[in-house]
Amino acid sequence: MFGITDPAIWVGYLLALVFTLACLVYGLLNWNNGVEGERDDS
Amino acid sequence: MTVDTGLFVGMTLVYLVLIIGLGYLGYRRTKENDDYMVAGRKIHPVVLALSYGATFISTSAIVGFGGVAAQLGMGMIWLTVLNIGLGIFIAFVFFGKRTRRIGHKLRAVTFPDLMGKCYGSPFMQYAAGTVIVLGMPLYTAAILIGGAQFITSTLQIPYTTALLGFAAIVALYVVLGGLIAVMYTDALQGGIMLVGMTILLVLTYIRLGGVVEAHTALAGMSDLVPEALAAGGLTGWASMPAFGSSIWLTLVTTLVLGVGIGVLAQPQLVVRFMTVKDSRALNRAVLVGGPFILMMTGVAFTVGALTNVYFYQAEGVTALAAATNGNVDTIIPNFINASMPDLFVVVFMLALLAAAMSTLSSLFHTMGTSLGFDVIRRTGTEKATMRPIRLATVAMIVVSIILAFIMPGSIIARATAMFMGLCASAFLPTYAHAMYSSRPSLKSAKMSLVTGTVAWFAWTSFVHVKESAALGLSNLLFGVPAVLSAPWQDVDPLVIALPLSTAALLVGWALDRHEVTADTEESAGAA
């Protein structure tokens, strides 16, 4: 993938991007959640 | 690095004026103890995310670990995976929200204070404070050394002047402006780091002819791996080292796991969760924090590995061969100096200065509050006062400076990994238990903290040969640099100490529950 042949490396890059995407999606989906006074179970 | 000194001095002065201005703003806004300790609990989410990220990422993460990537290759990307997955997502979503909520409820203002109040135990506060006061100066001294070495090489000023000047400027705004000043300046520094690393990534790929071309060229260099590294298990710079080899063990246990897990229980990061007013701010900070860390460590490790392609194409040598005196810390600066336009060299140097200052300021603040509030304060009144904490901060800064003059210059990346390993071993199970149990067990927390700390120190002093050989205790007592042979002497202390401290927590918890059950049955029988 993108010139990297060892799966142990490109899977690492893929996961780094997936986790970054997860941070973005989580932040957007919960943009207005968690205001003081609301229940927050995390 | 050698650049247009006039341009660098000019931009540095502008940067320092902004830093002092933000420090002054922090000073003006610091009216009460809560302002000094937890930034008044009303920090903006973007400031939180940048401050967390900038504290997390020091110069050693960029230059030191980037240099390690030049030596050991792209396998370092697994540290980025953990940095984002654990260091941001799990840290904010699963630890941050509870830390903020419980911290607010208990009015905790430091990490040891949080532990003490969660467990209702002054011992936990003292013990956590003591681990910080004893362990953190080593990490702080390493950051000081890195910053001073960098300033010396760029501005061509004596090392002692650089170290003292660097410490004095950071000390000024930390001591006077507390955590508000620290976090405001962190946010500016984080912004500069983001700009610097983004440009670095783009220019590197342009310089090497494109993304695929650069990676293909790196993968094609596997036959150039030096003999010593090949014998240690290195198979190339675009592939993982041979499974189970000494380089694989160092990469996976010390660098990826040690640093990746260690970040979850770092007191200077945990305290930041208590600086925002609600969980919404933490949700929003996740959105900024993830991409920020990707652009820091992801870029540093990728560019670090790719410096091999640049040096091979330009000079016919590997990155390690191009390092000054074989020191891997010089690879990234050498690469930037040789391959980048002058203006960017200056921007990148500012980014490195910002990275060093942002980490250093947070460590100064955490050490000062630990000593002045958690360790000393309990002999006096319950309410924190800023004056003793400021004096304690000055004292810890002086200790760190003295240590920086004593410690060897090549210890930067190792000291970072050591500190993170110690934090995870000593604090992580106890911290997680406090956050996730409605009635946390004090006995289990004490057992875990003591076991984790003792196990980490024992493995570091007697088994993990990279540290035990340097410390000399094993040699003094047993006549050998490490009491166990390979592969054990390559296994990081964290990999041993963290499972032990977790097991101690579980055993203590089971014993506690057993005692409670027995007491209840006894009371019922008596009734």
Side-chain angles (χ1 to χ4, degrees):
Chain A
M1 183 183 276
F2 291 105
I4 300 171
T5 49
D6 185 353
I9 300 293
W10 64 253
V11 168
Y13 274 95
L14 197 64
L15 272 180
L17 292 172
V18 166
F19 282 141
T20 305
L21 199 64
C23 289
L24 286 168
V25 170
Y26 183 87
L28 285 173
L29 289 180
N30 292 285
W31 188 255
N32 284 317
N33 292 342
V35 179
E36 190 76 303
E38 283 181 8
R39 184 171 165 74
D40 183 2
D41 290 328
S42 293
Chain B
M1 275 190 258
T2 51
V3 287
D4 182 345
T5 311
L7 181 65
F8 181 61
V9 169
M11 286 182 73
T12 304
L13 284 177
V14 172
Y15 164 73
L16 286 179
V17 167
L18 288 172
I19 291 295
I20 298 294
L22 287 170
Y24 181 70
L25 191 64
Y27 172 68
R28 290 294 303 269
R29 291 188 176 177
T30 300
K31 311 272 187 219
E32 298 172 8
N33 297 326
D34 266 13
D35 297 331
Y36 194 85
M37 307 289 280
V38 284
R41 302 187 197 272
K42 52 191 176 197
I43 281 291
H44 190 277
V46 174
V47 174
L48 167 68
L50 290 175
S51 170
Y52 187 97
T55 300
F56 188 164
I57 305 300
S58 63
T59 312
S60 81
I62 298 170
V63 171
F65 284 66
V68 171
Q71 185 185 20
L72 304 183
M74 285 178 155
M76 286 290 283
I77 195 64
W78 284 98
L79 177 54
T80 303
V81 174
L82 262 66
N83 286 159
I84 302 167
L86 287 182
I88 296 294
F89 195 82
I90 301 289
F92 275 72
V93 176
F94 293 98
F95 283 92
K97 290 184 185 180
R98 284 172 183 264
T99 304
R100 187 208 65 78
R101 194 170 65 234
I102 296 168
H104 276 219
K105 192 171 144 195
L106 300 176
R107 304 302 299 168
V109 291
T110 64
F111 176 73
D113 189 30
L114 179 71
M115 291 296 96
K117 285 176 173 160
C118 281
Y119 288 102
S121 159
F123 169 84
M124 288 303 292
Q125 186 176 6
Y126 283 131
T130 305
V131 171
I132 292 169
V133 167
L134 294 180
M136 198 176 270
L138 295 171
Y139 178 36
T140 310
I143 302 294
L144 266 173
I145 292 169
Q149 283 176 349
F150 163 72
I151 295 166
T152 300
S153 66
T154 40
L155 293 180
Q156 312 292 320
I157 57 175
Y159 179 76
T160 306
T161 313
L163 198 149
L164 293 177
F166 178 46
I169 289 169
V170 178
L172 180 72
Y173 67 80
V174 175
V175 173
L176 294 177
L179 198 56
I180 298 179
V182 169
M183 293 185 77
Y184 283 179
T185 51
D186 280 355
L188 172 69
Q189 288 153 346
I192 295 170
M193 289 158 68
L194 195 56
V195 171
M197 296 306 282
T198 305
I199 298 174
L200 176 64
L201 182 71
V202 173
L203 289 186
T204 299
Y205 279 128
I206 291 174
R207 190 76 180 73
L208 300 179
V211 175
V212 177
E213 289 76 4
H215 295 167
T216 307
L218 185 66
M221 289 176 67
S222 54
D223 55 331
L224 296 171
V225 172
E227 254 178 54
L229 289 176
L234 193 69
T235 57
W237 292 283
S239 54
M240 282 295 279
F243 180 77
S245 62
S246 70
I247 289 182
W248 186 91
L249 283 170
T250 301
L251 179 71
V252 173
T253 68
T254 299
L255 299 167
V256 175
L257 293 178
V259 179
I261 296 174
V263 76
L264 275 178
Q266 283 198 62
Q268 74 277 18
L269 296 179
V270 172
V271 76
R272 276 161 171 67
F273 297 136
M274 299 191 281
T275 64
V276 290
K277 75 172 181 182
D278 53 28
S279 294
R280 184 174 68 173
L282 292 171
N283 291 335
R284 293 178 176 186
V286 170
L287 186 140
V288 181
F292 180 84
I293 297 298
L294 178 73
M295 291 310 294
M296 295 297 119
T297 63
V299 171
F301 303 156
T302 304
V303 171
L306 289 174
T307 56
N308 283 289
V309 178
Y310 171 78
F311 284 116
Y312 187 66
Q313 288 176 353
E315 301 170 22
V317 295
T318 64
L320 196 57
T324 310
N325 300 322
N327 181 358
V328 294
D329 288 348
T330 63
I331 294 174
I332 295 282
N334 285 352
F335 165 70
I336 287 167
N337 199 38
S339 67
M340 300 286 160
D342 260 9
L343 181 63
F344 175 70
V345 178
V346 173
V347 171
F348 188 74
M349 285 195 298
L350 270 185
L352 290 185
L353 190 62
M357 288 176 83
S358 54
T359 305
L360 192 63
S361 62
S362 304
L363 297 179
F364 280 176
H365 182 265
T366 304
M367 290 191 303
T369 53
S370 291
L371 179 65
F373 181 78
D374 299 308
V375 177
I376 294 176
R377 178 200 60 127
R378 281 190 172 274
T379 56
T381 59
E382 189 66 20
K383 191 173 166 62
T385 52
M386 279 187 274
R387 195 165 170 217
I389 293 164
R390 282 180 166 142
L391 287 173
T393 307
V394 172
M396 292 307 297
I397 291 170
V398 171
V399 169
S400 305
I401 291 171
I402 293 169
L403 267 178
F405 280 113
I406 297 170
M407 281 164 54
S410 55
I411 202 163
I412 302 167
R414 183 148 298 277
T416 304
M418 283 171 72
F419 178 73
M420 296 199 181
L422 171 63
C423 283
S425 306
F427 299 138
L428 187 54
T430 309
Y431 173 45
H433 184 48
M435 292 301 103
Y436 275 91
S437 175
S438 55
R439 288 176 58 195
S441 153
L442 175 59
K443 179 182 274 184
S444 69
K446 284 180 176 175
M447 284 173 65
S448 172
L449 196 149
V450 172
T451 304
T453 307
V454 170
W456 185 89
F457 273 109
W459 198 267
T460 300
S461 307
F462 297 106
V463 182
H464 197 225
V465 71
K466 281 175 183 149
E467 280 100 33
S468 65
L471 289 169
L473 261 180
S474 177
N475 212 18
L476 187 73
L477 294 176
F478 304 109
V480 285
V483 295
L484 295 180
S485 55
W488 294 107
Q489 57 181 230
D490 294 317
V491 175
D492 194 77
L494 168 109
V495 176
I496 303 299
L498 181 58
L500 283 177
S501 66
T502 307
L505 182 109
L506 295 173
V507 169
W509 199 10
L511 287 175
D512 225 11
R513 288 165 76 97
H514 178 71
E515 281 170 17
V516 169
T517 311
D519 286 349
T520 312
E521 281 171 1
E522 208 169 278
S523 315

